[in-house]
Amino acid sequence: MTRKELFEELAFLLDVPENTLDEKTKFRELDNYNSLVAIGIVSMLEEKVGTKLDIWQLRNLKNVGELMDLVGREKFEE
């Protein structure tokens, strides 16, 4: 998965324009973020990059960059 694809997927799940997301975006503070979106993020990452996360792991993340670190940056191509 590329970084661009990650941002596209997150933008879709969060219902925001893709160009509003970057690694510093505090996705959990966005108006559209809720438990269903969190489940969607976990499912998307499992499907697209094969990473198994627990939904509770998202609770301590501050931004998209930390999400990428949790998953493993090597899984996101430029």
Side-chain angles (χ1 to χ4, degrees), residues 2-3 12 35 47 58 71 73:
T2 65
R3 289 167 41 104
F12 175 77
S35 59
E47 178 184 327
L58 300 182
V71 171
R73 286 187 177 267

Side-chain angles (χ1 to χ4, degrees), residues 9-72:
E9 293 284 342
L10 289 175
F12 175 77
L13 291 168
L14 292 162
D15 195 27
V16 297
E18 180 189 340
N19 63 357
T20 63
L21 294 177
D22 62 25
E23 289 190 35
K24 295 180 182 176
T25 302
K26 296 178 180 179
F27 66 95
R28 292 179 51 244
E29 294 179 8
L30 297 174
D31 289 339
N32 294 332
Y33 184 82
N34 57 43
S35 59
L36 292 176
V37 171
I39 292 168
I41 291 171
V42 168
S43 296
M44 178 268 297
L45 290 171
E46 185 172 331
E47 178 184 327
K48 302 285 185 179
V49 296
T51 300
K52 295 199 183 258
L53 297 176
D54 186 301
I55 190 171
W56 298 108
Q57 289 176 285
L58 300 182
R59 212 171 55 181
N60 297 323
L61 300 179
K62 293 182 176 71
N63 55 43
V64 174
E66 289 186 5
L67 176 64
M68 293 172 72
D69 290 337
L70 179 65
V71 171

